[in-house]
Amino acid sequence: MYRHTTQLQFHAKPERPDALFAAKLQELVGGQFGEMTVMMQYLWQGWNCRIPGKYKDMILDIGTEEIGHVEMLVTMMARLLEGAPSEAQAQAAAANPALAAVLGGQNVQHAIVTGGAAMPTNSQGVPWNGGYIVASGNMLADFRHNVAAEAQSRLQTARVYNMTDDPGVKDMLQFNLARDTFHQQQWLLGIEQLIEDGIVETGIEDSHQDVEKTEQAQTFYSFHEGSRAGEGRWAQGTTLRGDGEIRFAEGVPLADDDALVPAPDPLLFATYDGSQGPGKPGDGTGAHLQGAQNLVEKAKEKLTGE
Amino acid sequence: MYRHTTQLQFHAKPERPDALFAAKLQELVGGQFGEMTVMMQYLWQGWNCRIPGKYKDMILDIGTEEIGHVEMLVTMMARLLEGAPSEAQAQAAAANPALAAVLGGQNVQHAIVTGGAAMPTNSQGVPWNGGYIVASGNMLADFRHNVAAEAQSRLQTARVYNMTDDPGVKDMLQFNLARDTFHQQQWLLGIEQLIEDGIVETGIEDSHQDVEKTEQAQTFYSFHEGSRAGEGRWAQGTTLRGDGEIRFAEGVPLADDDALVPAPDPLLFATYDGSQGPGKPGDGTGAHLQGAQNLVEKAKEKLTGE
Amino acid sequence: MYRHTTQLQFHAKPERPDALFAAKLQELVGGQFGEMTVMMQYLWQGWNCRIPGKYKDMILDIGTEEIGHVEMLVTMMARLLEGAPSEAQAQAAAANPALAAVLGGQNVQHAIVTGGAAMPTNSQGVPWNGGYIVASGNMLADFRHNVAAEAQSRLQTARVYNMTDDPGVKDMLQFNLARDTFHQQQWLLGIEQLIEDGIVETGIEDSHQDVEKTEQAQTFYSFHEGSRAGEGRWAQGTTLRGDGEIRFAEGVPLADDDALVPAPDPLLFATYDGSQGPGKPGDGTGAHLQGAQNLVEKAKEKLTGE
Amino acid sequence: MYRHTTQLQFHAKPERPDALFAAKLQELVGGQFGEMTVMMQYLWQGWNCRIPGKYKDMILDIGTEEIGHVEMLVTMMARLLEGAPSEAQAQAAAANPALAAVLGGQNVQHAIVTGGAAMPTNSQGVPWNGGYIVASGNMLADFRHNVAAEAQSRLQTARVYNMTDDPGVKDMLQFNLARDTFHQQQWLLGIEQLIEDGIVETGIEDSHQDVEKTEQAQTFYSFHEGSRAGEGRWAQGTTLRGDGEIRFAEGVPLADDDALVPAPDPLLFATYDGSQGPGKPGDGTGAHLQGAQNLVEKAKEKLTGE
Amino acid sequence: MYRHTTQLQFHAKPERPDALFAAKLQELVGGQFGEMTVMMQYLWQGWNCRIPGKYKDMILDIGTEEIGHVEMLVTMMARLLEGAPSEAQAQAAAANPALAAVLGGQNVQHAIVTGGAAMPTNSQGVPWNGGYIVASGNMLADFRHNVAAEAQSRLQTARVYNMTDDPGVKDMLQFNLARDTFHQQQWLLGIEQLIEDGIVETGIEDSHQDVEKTEQAQTFYSFHEGSRAGEGRWAQGTTLRGDGEIRFAEGVPLADDDALVPAPDPLLFATYDGSQGPGKPGDGTGAHLQGAQNLVEKAKEKLTGE
Amino acid sequence: MYRHTTQLQFHAKPERPDALFAAKLQELVGGQFGEMTVMMQYLWQGWNCRIPGKYKDMILDIGTEEIGHVEMLVTMMARLLEGAPSEAQAQAAAANPALAAVLGGQNVQHAIVTGGAAMPTNSQGVPWNGGYIVASGNMLADFRHNVAAEAQSRLQTARVYNMTDDPGVKDMLQFNLARDTFHQQQWLLGIEQLIEDGIVETGIEDSHQDVEKTEQAQTFYSFHEGSRAGEGRWAQGTTLRGDGEIRFAEGVPLADDDALVPAPDPLLFATYDGSQGPGKPGDGTGAHLQGAQNLVEKAKEKLTGE
């Protein structure tokens, strides 16, 4: 359950409104790596964390902090949009080249849809969507994604930072940059902790390692002549799991399998010349259903024989 | 420029068709972390890599390999869908409980839309989209995402692996598991190489480090009573950049800023009771435009004075 | 800023797992009118509310409660998915008709993507998106949408309620039904309060009422012969604003305007036979630009004349 | 079945082209509350209306009128886009600050994709989608949404109205404002009629009222200190259904349920430390399947015993 | 403007309900090539047709017919969904293998969201979207797309036809098949008419033919060894425009351009090793802005010199 | 399997950067008919082609060429974006009207998200998606779509061609125009070849022709008074299949079927007045399930009687 306070975690006070910059700042609100994403991603991961205690608490603490970050950005947006042009603009633009730039780059949904406030979209107006949330239940894989999300988010913040000279905005973004640095580090340390606690063995997600093919787990394949990819550490030296030596090899077909697909079911009207024999009809008489027939035999035995 | 051969990189031969499993395998084709994603992501990163030589070659080699992985999975899908039911199904299902399960779990677009072949969608029919591609131009941030994508992809493959007992499918998935292990490692080694080559300093993406706030870059904030998050490595010890000690603190407002938004422009018809004074009209007479007026003055000087 | 506690607002304990029902419950998590929508919608409206005090506090209180509702449903989902089938399923289904139904109706992303937990999607796997959030800054229009969202949400909950016989699930849904009843009422009372406080005049959103056409604001038009629509209250009696009598009329063209579009710019290669004369080229010489020319004249005067 | 005439319902004649304004007007064409939405929403509701006569006729009459509204807006758009710039623009912009504003704010798909005509998208280029249609089969819930849609639509129209000074455009928008006023009223009167006809009891959608929890249907919960939400009518007085008194209470956990999720199936590779005992494998041997086993026993009895 | 009648264009009466088949039929309602698409596509093309008379009338006649086709399918859907299971289903399924198949394959939104009616989505629940509409203003290009849409639509209808044995459904689909045949032919004849009327020269869309490169307009390039693509008519013989002979050639780089991208702006923090010299800063001092400087010089001259 | 070379198929060298034009060029990269679409569409069709030899080889050759076209455009984009403004822009714009136009029309994701490179989106920022891929397995229907895609793509390229005067960009676009001409022709010749090879009979996709209704396959219906649609070839003369004469007729209901939907299941809470009798409950006791009961009887016979 959640509670809120009326104060922001950190101030979000621009020195002056700036509708042009607000249009750009949308990327940090509702973009793929905006604050809405990390907020929902960490809450989701935390709610589904299977380990009570320090892990679950840590994830939920950050998720809860991120609700407040969305709040800060949305508040900043409304303040940046104060007094943004809402009237017939042609004359104004003609008389004012600086205004013309503002008008051209303004996000019109800020006026038409929200009435002077942030949209839950990215800088191009694409709505934020749940597909941005990554929460697999596997903490190694998810922490890897969290590091990546914080790195991309921080990079975008650094780029946006140079697009304004408003001291109030810059002050808040300096706070955001710091948190993104801290959170990158935190998820990396989370992986170290998982290893230290013996929950995972290495930083490589390799569930079901027993069945993976050994050679392909240790070979770099190259697919063009003169590739210099072999010069990197990724193509030589010991594997990170320490179970072998990395090889560099030319990419060639590793098995004799022509990329052909089978003759089609005639009732699907796929184009076909008969060159591979007649297609198997999907009607319960083909080989496919022979397997099913066997299964239903077993089912009958089970139902009647037990 | 690209060329192709008629053989697959690795065989993709199921022992028998299985339309029910094909519906699940869609997740590895067109899901967020399916083969379409890594193919397009690495090609895009490679095309835009600013460092000719081992880095650009490495990224493009893998991107090119992944085209072949999509090809393998699409071929596997068509073979799994051979002879899948395409006719009136109620009677068949009534007579055959095993068939009923197949029919219920089948992806009907495999029949109606593709005529017995893979869809460029995930397992729920959501079309693959370009938003899955992450390519920021910053190799540290992108390699971090690549590690994460390979980890999620491998995890999903391991889960799918247990959903079939077809030896041919399992053989191909063992190959995929191996490549996902190798590629995770490769991107991690890519980060090590970036550090070794002096292109980045640490594994933390911290562009514009000079402006970030120091305290917030080193503090873990907790937002619930009794949180045990402080027990983890992420809340104590030296920072990964080695520039300080991590602190654990209760999350409190760090600045005195009530989350209020300003009075609205009357022409936007936002609901307002006047309690914060009159709203600034967005018509070129407000404070917002005074800044713009100053700018146009300077523009006039530039245009006439130089 | 936000804080959380470790306890749920209300219990979310199913008596037994039920993966088939979990697939349906997704609609209440990430559907258009699921808990994610009302949570984000109310937080967004609250953050942007321009009236400090009872209105802003009310909206944010509900928004904060709804975070906890998402948490409850996500927790319920993971409990419903405990021990859901993750292995090769054909044989199992053949031996077990009841299992067959479960397998056919199961959401495979619950296994492959989340590892036994909720997805941030609707029951068809479509990701929740920010376009579901309605927050216009106009409280009358937004409260109207909130009533509608709660009504749709409650209706869906009532429908889902009959799809399970698990007493634990039913208990939680009874709580949800109650909150949806209360919240519908609350937003309706919010509109009454707005009227009582003199912030809006009637329940009709009619900003800029002064410019709307009177006749069309009071007439029902019918577009088919024998329509009985005129029998309803909507086509007769006094208007709700009390400013006239509602009329019933046949729908006919109210102005003489053939639905023709102008001749195209030749450089856009739209198909055209010349029957409306030559198209205006979009190159700065057409009539369109004469207006712009006038404007730049005025701009020149302003720049040089002041 | 439908028929059409060649004349528009109301004229759509701008005095002069204006590509910049056309980019904004897209929101009223293909936005969430644009004309495409109400057209499709009312047709869909009308086709599925279960009550022949005045209700079905009324809904279809409006739906049919709205086809003509989309036609009017699409025609207006093509006329606004006449002679919009389609050529190399840098020089033109340099010579003409007014033109620069137009160019910057122009929707380039109007030239590249449609050749001088409207797009079926909102003002940001996001395609209109079927998710905007709300049609639940429950007329109370749907009429509530229709009121809300008309209110949002009218508000957006009023905002757009101030962004042009073209008398022809304003004339058409005055017609649109009037229809939005009328339609809001009409759906509110539709609810009154439903009550008068005894089809619903109150304006609250409360299907299955018998099972909802009474206390939670009458209590406002607050989730922050010092909340003034209790001052509003929504937190005091008689309920709208007249079945009790509204209470104001602090939000606290109402049941003792820690937000924990169960131990995971080992084959899903979710991260877990064993602290809640072993996870239930999803293989037909867990408790989950014992319920299914019971069911299949009953099925066997039914199949053999009847 | 539009009018409607209460009768369907053709009957839509299934002999009995079939919720399983209704789930599949969604593809023909709201899929990429479903009836919603052709309805909206033809209305849109018709509204924007620049040639009054037989072309505009023809396109709008078909568009108007298609409104009625959506109506027919939506009506059929509600009838197919009559009495579809809405209650707790596990026991029922256990006792009834035929019901199990229905339950597994049922679209749960048909119960939860629409209350027994069609959804505006495809068979996977993906909402129909405006991106399916193709309307370029160029009738040759659009008629080509219309032929394709009718062909895909007819193919899907033929596939769906075999998935039911309900005589009433089959009767309606026989009508749909016929219209799809007729409409394919009609758009092909539309292209013939365009040629006969001298509006286009050939069936090849080649606006601005004067600037295209001749050799690449007549050569088939092959990108794999042993390709037999040269055996087809597409790689030999006279071109369709009759302006040359088609050539077959191996695909090789036609110009000497290494796929390198320039050094990045330092403020974008793209990874770079300096090997291509310093990046151009995007600050108004780079070469990019020299062009802009020239332009503003010209602008100044224009503003002051005229 | 695929290989790549380091050289582009054709040069992609702009004479100078142009961020404004780059924003437009996005449509040809990631729009509905951009290079990403044809690349993925042809690869997908080729992988699933059921006829080994000239057809499969031809489709894959083109698909492989198109990978290189995406590469060319992405490279062109990065070069156009060299030195694009990344810093605080208000002052710069004020001093420079030409720059103002650039800034207003710039795609900010080119700076914030990709760091000076192309996005996998269209010109409005909508991500490319797999729904653009059309691959039905039926080569006639697919080739029809390929012709249409190339026609739309070429038209857009011709429109974009006039939006730049950069000789390097124009040179590459002349190459693209030529390939789009060639590929349109090629798919049309592909249809001729299918006919010549006896794989299809005519250019009309008419699978299951035996069941379509004859009259509706030969009649043009008109839905407005005074329609001149009858003057076109599409409404008179012999059918393209040569099996009859085309008729022109007024559109009237062809069957007596009022567009009514049945009484609803009470448990779905759809609004209903009882006028059509009681709704059928979806609980296994209605007529719907009588069919299912019959089926399970037959199933029981099969299970026990064989």
Side-chain angles (χ1 to χ4, degrees), chain F residues 68-79:
Chain F
H69 289 193
V70 180
E71 185 185 37
M72 281 164 59
L73 270 163
V74 168
T75 303
M76 172 64 85
M77 290 288 287
R79 291 169 176 175

Side-chain angles (χ1 to χ4, degrees), chain D residues 1-5 7-9 29 36 39-40 43-44 47-48 50 60-61 64 67-68 70-71 74 78 90-91 94-95 113-120 127-131 133 135-137 295-296 299 302, chain E residues 1-5 7-9 29 36 39-40 43-44 47-48 50 60-61 64 67-68 70-71 74 78 90-91 94-95 113-120 127-131 133 135-137 295-296 299 302:
Chain D
M1 213 192 67
Y2 296 78
R3 294 186 63 78
H4 73 102
T5 64
Q7 284 185 306
L8 298 175
Q9 189 192 7
V29 178
M36 289 177 77
M39 160 189 162
M40 292 303 280
L43 288 176
W44 214 266
W47 291 331
N48 287 318
R50 314 276 178 170
L60 283 173
D61 274 338
T64 306
I67 309 175
V70 180
E71 185 186 36
V74 168
Q91 294 97 324
V113 178
T114 62
M119 287 291 296
W128 185 91
N129 80 77
I133 299 175
S136 70
L295 292 173
V296 83
K302 259 209 161 154
Chain E
M1 212 191 66
Y2 296 78
R3 294 187 65 77
H4 73 101
T5 65
Q7 284 186 304
L8 297 176
Q9 189 192 8
V29 177
M36 290 178 78
M39 161 188 161
M40 292 303 281
L43 288 176
W44 214 266
W47 291 331
N48 287 317
R50 314 276 178 172
L60 282 173
D61 274 339
T64 305
I67 308 176
V70 179
E71 186 186 38
V74 168
Q91 293 98 323
V113 177
T114 62
M119 288 289 297
W128 186 89
N129 79 78
I133 298 175
S136 70
L295 293 174
V296 83
K302 260 207 159 156

Side-chain angles (χ1 to χ4, degrees), chain D:
Chain D
M1 213 192 67
Y2 296 78
R3 294 186 63 78
H4 73 102
T5 64
T6 55
Q7 284 185 306
L8 298 175
Q9 189 192 7
F10 196 79
H11 49 238
K13 292 184 179 167
E15 193 166 89
R16 60 174 187 280
D18 185 344
L20 188 59
F21 181 70
K24 293 171 185 138
L25 199 55
Q26 279 287 157
E27 196 68 31
L28 305 192
V29 178
Q32 183 174 7
F33 298 109
E35 298 288 355
M36 289 177 77
T37 296
V38 285
M39 160 189 162
M40 292 303 280
Q41 180 155 306
Y42 300 157
L43 288 176
W44 214 266
Q45 288 179 11
W47 291 331
N48 287 318
C49 178
R50 314 276 178 170
I51 308 183
K54 68 174 180 279
Y55 288 105
K56 193 180 185 88
D57 287 357
M58 179 265 276
I59 306 174
L60 283 173
D61 274 338
I62 309 177
T64 306
E65 178 177 352
E66 302 284 7
I67 309 175
H69 290 192
V70 180
E71 185 186 36
M72 280 164 60
L73 271 163
V74 168
T75 303
M76 172 64 87
M77 291 288 287
R79 291 168 177 177
L80 284 167
L81 289 165
E82 189 179 8
S86 63
E87 276 191 288
Q89 301 170 342
Q91 294 97 324
N96 191 333
L99 182 57
V102 174
L103 295 177
Q106 194 173 337
N107 181 328
V108 297
Q109 286 193 324
H110 285 164
I112 301 175
V113 178
T114 62
M119 287 291 296
T121 65
N122 70 6
S123 66
Q124 308 295 294
V126 177
W128 185 91
N129 80 77
Y132 295 159
I133 299 175
V134 173
S136 70
N138 180 299
M139 280 157 65
L140 174 56
D142 286 354
F143 287 6
R144 283 283 179 222
H145 196 271
N146 296 351
V147 180
E150 297 283 348
Q152 296 282 344
S153 168
R154 197 188 179 293
L155 174 64
Q156 293 183 4
T157 303
R159 285 169 175 169
V160 166
Y161 183 83
N162 290 316
M163 294 176 179
T164 180
D165 54 10
D166 184 302
V169 176
K170 279 182 173 302
D171 204 46
M172 188 190 75
L173 293 179
Q174 287 169 359
F175 172 85
N176 292 118
L177 287 169
R179 297 313 285 158
D180 286 350
T181 291
F182 185 77
H183 288 156
Q184 272 181 86
Q185 168 189 258
Q186 174 183 286
W187 300 116
L188 286 169
L189 292 174
I191 294 171
E192 289 191 11
Q193 184 76 57
L194 284 169
I195 296 172
E196 192 186 311
D197 289 348
I199 292 174
V200 303
E201 275 182 62
T202 66
I204 305 286
E205 202 301 297
D206 57 0
S207 304
H208 242 331
Q209 186 193 337
D210 51 310
V211 301
E212 75 180 19
K213 296 201 179 292
T214 305
E215 183 174 336
Q216 280 83 38
Q218 302 177 346
T219 310
F220 184 100
Y221 295 117
S222 171
F223 294 85
H224 77 289
E225 261 180 84
S227 172
R228 297 174 52 193
E231 300 171 9
R233 169 66 178 90
W234 49 76
Q236 52 188 296
T238 308
T239 63
L240 279 178
R241 294 191 305 205
D243 57 353
E245 288 296 302
I246 301 175
R247 280 176 296 278
F248 179 84
E250 193 191 357
V252 293
L254 300 166
D256 186 19
D257 186 357
D258 262 14
L260 294 180
V261 289
D265 175 353
L267 282 179
L268 293 180
F269 310 110
T271 306
Y272 181 54
D273 63 351
S275 59
Q276 303 186 72
K280 292 181 191 168
D283 59 359
T285 64
H288 177 228
L289 270 292
Q290 291 180 354
Q293 284 301 115
N294 294 345
L295 292 173
V296 83
E297 285 308 307
K298 289 189 206 154
K300 190 167 67 171
E301 284 166 29
K302 259 209 161 154
L303 279 172
T304 57
E306 280 174 26

Side-chain angles (χ1 to χ4, degrees), chain A residues 198-218:
Chain A
I199 291 174
V200 302
E201 275 183 61
T202 66
I204 305 286
E205 202 300 298
D206 59 0
S207 304
H208 242 332
Q209 186 193 336
D210 50 310
V211 301
E212 75 181 20
K213 295 202 180 290
T214 306
E215 183 175 336
Q216 279 83 37
Q218 302 179 348

Side-chain angles (χ1 to χ4, degrees), chain A residues 49-56 139 199, chain D residues 271-273 275-276:
Chain A
C49 177
R50 315 276 178 170
I51 307 183
K54 68 174 180 278
Y55 288 105
K56 193 179 186 89
M139 280 157 67
I199 291 174
Chain D
T271 306
Y272 181 54
D273 63 351
S275 59
Q276 303 186 72

Side-chain angles (χ1 to χ4, degrees), chain A residues 1-5 7 36 39-40 44 47 50 64 71 94 113-116 118 120 128-130 136 295 299 302, chain C residues 1-5 7 36 39-40 44 47-48 50 64 71 94-95 113-116 118 120 128-130 136 295 299:
Chain A
M1 213 192 66
Y2 296 78
R3 294 186 64 77
H4 73 102
T5 66
Q7 284 185 307
M36 289 178 78
M39 161 189 162
M40 292 302 282
W44 214 266
W47 291 332
R50 315 276 178 170
T64 306
E71 185 185 37
V113 178
T114 62
W128 186 89
N129 81 78
S136 70
L295 293 172
K302 259 204 159 155
Chain C
M1 211 192 67
Y2 297 78
R3 294 187 62 78
H4 73 102
T5 66
Q7 284 184 305
M36 289 177 77
M39 161 188 161
M40 292 303 282
W44 214 266
W47 291 331
N48 287 318
R50 314 276 178 171
T64 306
E71 185 186 36
V113 177
T114 62
W128 185 89
N129 80 77
S136 70
L295 293 172

Side-chain angles (χ1 to χ4, degrees), chain F residues 49-60:
Chain F
C49 178
R50 312 278 178 169
I51 308 183
K54 68 173 180 279
Y55 288 104
K56 193 179 186 89
D57 286 357
M58 179 266 275
I59 304 173
L60 283 173

Side-chain angles (χ1 to χ4, degrees), chain A residues 207-286:
Chain A
S207 304
H208 242 332
Q209 186 193 336
D210 50 310
V211 301
E212 75 181 20
K213 295 202 180 290
T214 306
E215 183 175 336
Q216 279 83 37
Q218 302 179 348
T219 309
F220 184 100
Y221 295 117
S222 171
F223 293 85
H224 77 290
E225 261 179 84
S227 172
R228 296 173 51 193
E231 298 171 12
R233 170 64 178 90
W234 49 75
Q236 55 189 292
T238 309
T239 64
L240 279 177
R241 294 192 305 205
D243 58 353
E245 287 296 305
I246 301 174
R247 279 176 297 280
F248 179 83
E250 194 192 356
V252 293
L254 299 166
D256 185 19
D257 186 357
D258 260 15
L260 295 180
V261 289
D265 175 353
L267 282 178
L268 293 179
F269 310 110
T271 306
Y272 180 53
D273 64 350
S275 60
Q276 303 186 73
K280 292 180 192 170
D283 61 358
T285 65

